[in-house]
Amino acid sequence: MPPRPDVPADVPAVALVDLDAIAHNVRVVRRAVGPAQVMAVVKADAYGHGLVPAARAALAGGATWLGVAHVHEALALRAAGVEADVLAWILTPGTDLLPAVRAGVDVSVSAVWALEQLAGAARAAGRRAGVHLEVDTGMSRGGASPAEWPALLDAVAKHVEAGDVQVRGTWAHFASADVPGDPSVPSQLDAFEAALRAARDHGVDPGLRHHANSAAAFFVPQARYDLVRAGLAVYGLSPAPERATGAELGLRPAMTLAARLAHVRRVPAGAGVSYGLTYTVEHDTTLGLVPVGYGDGVPRHASWDGHRSGEVLVGGARRRIAGRVCMDQVVVDLGDDAAAPGDLALVLGPGDDGEATADDWAAAAGTISWEVVTRIGARVPRRYAGALA
Ligand SMILES: *Cc1c(COP(=O)(O)O)cnc(C)c1O
């Protein structure tokens, strides 16, 4: 295990991102899914890890594609000089697709109107647009429904013939690939196979077939096809920790959220703490102020609820949050231990020193680790570590 990067003393809080861990995690996914390729999903600022540095690290680890939700995320990659294949999969009417086509960004379409919009941009740009066709195989989120699919294919065939678009992929998304034996998984795969047959029947070459997220990449071998879209695993977290922990999968969490105590004080038994005074200290105790709050992504749902709360590692031990998580700060109960302003507080990390992991925070807040890391806010500076930094 590489040493934790130094926590700078000049900022109240910092998110340390280990780029070597990201490259390592992509290698782990590649080994698991090969010969399928890996698309590293870097949407939402790379799940809070920083779009461009994370994308570069993922490419260094062998990802051959990058995936984002919005077209502007793809353009930010291009503006930073990232030239790898990029797919953007959320499109609304009115999105200007000309810059995407000019930049060679592939766009996903689920409907004829979206295809027409892309084909129009391609004609304006004077070059073919790369398109991925999204089909709904049962999640009822994005994607053409089985009823809409034939009409979309007809329109695609026409635009391929006209030289407006090139089909580079056909894809779908799982609802429950993390659940062992869930019947929706084979059902979605059957629907995908039917959609691929229909494409060929309409004279449309489906291009790269992709259906798997991180969970399916590890747990559903028959869903790997030509390419897997891995998000969470790239950042070192398990998509199903109750099934296999990140460590069991060979993954390394890339993010550490560290802070410095901003204030330390002694309070007498009976003192109430934070908004609503929902936490009352039973004995005289020492409280430490950790300068991160829900404005930085610490979940307010991880406030003390009378039984438990999120925990912050200070002075070698996990300390519970005393009372409510505020916008900019939380108070932790240090008991009778010595502490001073400036002491290191590890809020979230790989767990190497006993600090809470993203899975622990997810459990404390009743959410998922995806949300925990993705919400680490823009106010927290990112510092990059590792040979790739
Ligand atoms: C976010 C996303 C992924 C990545 O999912 P993980 O569970 O994080 O691996 C893959 N595909 C699509 C369409 C997504 O929106």
Side-chain angles (χ1 to χ4, degrees):
M1 196 63 62
R4 189 189 304 281
D6 281 342
V7 177
D10 59 334
V11 283
V14 62
L16 303 165
V17 178
D18 179 353
L19 297 178
D20 292 357
I22 291 178
H24 163 85
N25 295 327
V26 171
R27 284 192 290 271
V28 168
V29 176
R30 271 176 64 212
R31 270 201 297 276
V33 306
Q37 302 176 62
V38 176
M39 173 187 288
V41 178
V42 293
K43 64 189 179 187
D45 203 28
Y47 292 40
H49 293 68
L51 174 69
V52 172
R56 288 195 202 285
L59 293 170
T64 49
W65 281 79
L66 298 170
V68 294
H70 294 215
V71 168
H72 67 82
E73 298 178 292
L75 294 176
L77 288 167
R78 287 287 186 264
V82 176
E83 289 173 356
D85 280 316
V86 181
L87 172 63
W89 52 70
I90 290 186
L91 178 56
T92 47
T95 302
D96 181 8
L97 294 178
L98 188 55
V101 175
R102 286 204 172 120
V105 167
D106 286 6
V107 174
S108 173
V109 305
S110 301
V112 173
W113 66 261
L115 178 70
E116 296 299 342
Q117 204 171 312
L118 183 63
R123 284 192 298 274
R127 62 180 278 184
R128 269 183 200 266
V131 67
H132 292 231
L133 308 175
E134 185 185 3
V135 60
D136 179 26
T137 57
M139 187 177 177
S140 310
R141 193 174 71 168
S145 69
E148 296 161 337
W149 187 235
L152 179 59
L153 291 170
D154 284 337
V156 167
K158 189 187 78 189
H159 284 293
V160 170
E161 175 79 26
D164 302 332
V165 302
Q166 177 191 5
V167 180
R168 300 197 66 212
T170 298
W171 70 283
H173 194 59
F174 280 113
S176 302
D178 54 323
V179 182
D182 195 277
S184 69
V185 172
S187 160
Q188 288 199 256
L189 286 172
D190 286 348
F192 194 50
E193 288 293 330
L196 293 169
R197 279 194 302 276
R200 294 193 187 93
D201 291 346
H202 283 74
V204 172
D205 177 345
L208 295 172
R209 302 158 300 163
H210 48 111
H211 204 312
N213 53 6
S214 294
F218 284 116
F219 304 126
V220 190
Q222 61 283 24
R224 290 172 188 152
Y225 290 97
D226 303 312
L227 179 67
V228 302
R229 301 183 308 273
L232 193 71
V234 168
Y235 307 104
L237 302 171
S238 169
E242 62 298 332
R243 216 168 154 177
T245 63
E248 284 162 354
L249 295 171
L251 302 171
R252 228 156 64 200
M255 187 193 286
T256 298
L257 177 60
R260 300 276 178 187
L261 293 186
H263 193 58
V264 176
R265 62 190 312 199
R266 199 72 190 156
V267 293
V273 185
S274 193
Y275 286 120
L277 305 176
T278 56
Y279 184 88
T280 306
V281 306
E282 278 177 36
H283 311 284
D284 294 5
T285 195
T286 298
L287 299 176
L289 187 66
V290 184
V292 290
Y294 62 80
D296 308 292
V298 175
R300 192 170 174 280
H301 277 97
S303 297
W304 177 252
D305 69 357
H307 304 282
R308 66 170 193 169
S309 66
E311 294 174 330
V312 176
L313 190 86
V314 180
R318 284 213 206 170
R319 318 291 181 163
R320 64 190 184 206
I321 292 174
R324 293 199 182 137
V325 174
C326 308
M327 189 183 293
D328 317 304
Q329 41 198 313
V330 297
V331 178
V332 294
D333 192 339
L334 300 169
D336 290 328
D337 292 348
D343 282 2
L344 184 63
L346 290 180
V347 181
L348 163 83
D352 298 348
D353 293 328
E355 76 276 15
T357 63
D359 290 324
D360 294 329
W361 280 100
T367 183
I368 54 175
S369 62
W370 286 256
E371 186 180 3
V372 170
V373 290
T374 302
R375 278 180 178 261
I376 300 305
R379 180 166 62 185
V380 181
R382 268 64 175 169
R383 296 282 169 92
Y384 296 96
L388 293 166

